[in-house]
Amino acid sequence: MRPLWTAFEIAAAVEGEVFGDFSANGVAFDSREVGPGDLFVAMKGEATDGHRFVDKAFAAGAAGAIVSQPVEGPHVLVQDTTAALDALGRASRLRTAARIIGVTGSVGKTGTKEALFAAFDRAVPGAAHRSLKSYNNHVGVPLSLARMPAATRYGVFEMGMSAAGELAQLTRMVRPHVALVTAIAPAHSAFFAGEEAIADAKGEIFQGLEPGGTAIIPYDSPHRERLIAAARPFADRIWTFGRGEGADIRAREALRGPRGTLIAAVLPGAELTFTLAPPGEHWVSNAMAVLAAVHAVDGDLGATGLALADMAGLAGRGRRVMAAVPGGEALVVDESYNANPASMAATISLLGEEQANRRIVVLGDMRELGEKSPLYHAGLAQPLLRAGVDFALLVGPEMAALANELEGRIDFAHVPDAAAALERLVDVIEAGDAVLIKGSNAIGLARLVEHLGSGAVAAGNLPCST
């Protein structure tokens, strides 16, 4: 089997010098993620220097390293390791004949990326590649590119941003054949004047399109025309997706059933009926985006329908966990990775459809919303009331606005952090409950999911105070 990279291929790509020949089958810049046969890139950051962990990387089985100072063990010596990772990512993109899809959006981009990978992997097992986790920034994108085998047939790359200009840089590195925007919503609002500015920044993804490329845009978005205008100078073809009659790829019917949502989809020159496993109207939209991207690269729509029928929830993004509690089990919906007003409202609405003795939410602060943050947090009151939520556990200082809005309307508690939330939740949760846990990743609500999923509540093992 051909290695991912040889030392001399790396050196040619990054303009470095080889000290000790080696071959690598993976790439990592975090020594904790290094596995046998990996290439370790010793990055220098503001807080730490990866060169301090080179020995640890070799002890974990690294085959070689990219460094900017000599080390013990096989390595490629460069001037700047950050620039070297960028160069390695560009070289990886240059050497492949894969069809590349770039995905961005305020919400839904990770789930859509994973669904696209599942579709391509089902059609051509072992020949699809995607960015792992949410590696979607100026370091994660070149890392994901560098990890792509040369023989890949389909590559799917998530791209994010928190400021204007960032996405333009990333998309020119990825050079997608298809550039997809899932949705525009108030995310990172602290860095933008309004949603129009967010749409403009997301529209930068079209600037990296390969000649003959396709732009895929949400039809039902109020920013549709703005995105179309951004795509027009760079895209050979512009497709829209959604529920509206005028969308190029649309769900003509979407019927919710016990095993998922039965969808009849209409595409340019094709129709497809399939079952979508993940629940929610937002996933109907995501599925149309997936079909559009697959169709744009002449992929296998049948395999895509089967993949969407098998999609399971991702950790932190819709995974469903049955937690053992005294007297039985409770359903935990794990949305702990990220949060903004649109995704909060969507997942709260889904909780309202759950058959449960009680509906409980654990909601953490939504970060980076700027001066309108109190308004956005208070605005969650109506979705909670419509969903029939019985108890709301609010976590973090920015949730004070929602706490004020809920006073006298539903039962709630407001706590300062995840540790306090965990202590309160284990006292509240009962068999038959459905619990939604959602907040910005920095709040740390994933630890609640981990604790509940471990069975510690049923065993009477309460969290220790710190």
Side-chain angles (χ1 to χ4, degrees), residues 362 364 393-396 415-425 437 440-448 463 466:
V362 183
L393 181 53
L394 312 179
V395 188
V415 298
D417 53 34
L422 180 54
E423 290 189 8
R424 185 62 185 268
L425 183 60
I437 299 178
S440 290
N441 191 43
I443 307 302
L445 297 185
R447 65 184 292 192
L448 277 69
T466 57

Side-chain angles (χ1 to χ4, degrees), residues 365 374 377-378 394-407 412 414-415:
D365 285 350
H377 283 82
L394 312 179
V395 188
E398 295 188 62
M399 278 291 165
L402 179 56
N404 291 335
E405 195 70 19
L406 293 178
E407 192 70 49
F412 75 92
H414 185 203
V415 298

Side-chain angles (χ1 to χ4, degrees), residues 284-301:
V284 176
S285 179
N286 290 348
M288 295 305 100
V290 169
L291 292 180
V294 170
H295 199 39
V297 295
D298 298 320
D300 188 332
L301 289 175

Side-chain angles (χ1 to χ4, degrees), residues 5 13-15 81-93 142 173:
W5 294 102
V14 305
E15 297 184 357
T81 53
T82 300
L85 181 59
D86 285 352
L88 194 64
R90 290 191 178 93
S92 181
R93 175 65 184 88
M173 185 180 295

Side-chain angles (χ1 to χ4, degrees), residues 129-150:
H129 175 80
R130 93 290 207 185
S131 45
L132 296 179
K133 300 182 181 179
S134 287
Y135 283 162
N136 61 19
N137 63 7
H138 66 287
V139 177
V141 168
L143 176 70
S144 298
L145 282 167
R147 288 173 165 177
M148 180 169 58

